[in-house]
Amino acid sequence: MFKEFKEFISRGNVIDMAIGIIMGSAFTAIVKSMVDDLLMPIIAGLTAGVNYEDLVINIGGASLKIGNFINAIISFLIIAFVMFLIVKAINSLHKKEEKEVTTKDCPYCQSEIDIKASRCPHCTSKLENYSNELE
């Protein structure tokens, strides 16, 4: 049983997942600090200093903290927007890296073909200036 457990733990997926969780919690702290310490004070200033935490509704002796709920919704929307911007920036960086040339046009039929092709699969023409640029 110990051997099986050791195999399970040493699989790449488990280690990748653990690293992802650790990085996620560290990243969460950064985003939370950005929202709580930078963006929420700006929003509070724009709303004329209204402190939503003070909004409470008393029903039958129970206190419903509506203000905390409103703050949680605002925080969620801000965090979601910040995450969207971060993911969008990362994706645009990856797209720039992925723009590797893998095709070319056949000079005879103008069809798009693999960069390594020495003969066009569409018109079967032999490509004269063939070179293995990727090899």
Side-chain angles (χ1 to χ4, degrees):
M1 191 153 116
F2 181 72
K3 181 180 175 186
E4 289 179 55
F5 180 71
K6 182 180 173 186
E7 289 175 9
F8 172 75
I9 291 297
S10 59
R11 284 186 189 161
N13 294 342
V14 174
I15 294 170
D16 291 344
M17 184 179 67
I19 291 170
I21 291 170
I22 292 167
M23 292 299 294
S25 64
F27 190 70
T28 299
I30 293 170
V31 173
K32 183 168 176 22
S33 175
M34 185 171 113
V35 170
D36 292 344
D37 301 331
L38 300 176
L39 298 176
M40 287 304 278
I42 293 171
I43 291 173
L46 294 175
T47 58
V50 174
N51 187 358
Y52 294 111
E53 292 177 9
D54 296 336
L55 295 175
V56 177
I57 296 176
N58 292 314
I59 299 176
S63 295
L64 301 177
K65 298 180 180 179
I66 301 295
N68 286 342
F69 182 68
I70 292 171
N71 277 343
I73 291 172
I74 292 171
S75 292
F76 170 78
L77 292 174
I78 293 171
I79 289 170
F81 184 69
V82 169
M83 293 301 298
F84 168 75
L85 293 176
I86 291 170
V87 169
K88 187 173 172 113
I90 290 170
N91 285 342
S92 68
L93 290 174
H94 285 297
K95 285 180 184 176
K96 288 179 184 176
E97 292 172 2
E98 292 175 0
K99 289 189 178 181
E100 180 181 323
V101 178
T102 59
T103 60
K104 61 183 175 182
D105 291 335
C106 173
Y108 301 103
C109 70
Q110 302 302 314
S111 297
E112 188 173 336
I113 57 175
D114 189 89
I115 193 96
K116 295 181 181 180
S118 60
R119 187 174 290 273
C120 178
H122 304 283
C123 68
T124 68
S125 299
K126 187 170 182 172
L127 304 175
E128 292 180 10
N129 293 326
Y130 169 70
S131 65
N132 282 334
E133 297 171 8
L134 298 178
E135 291 181 2

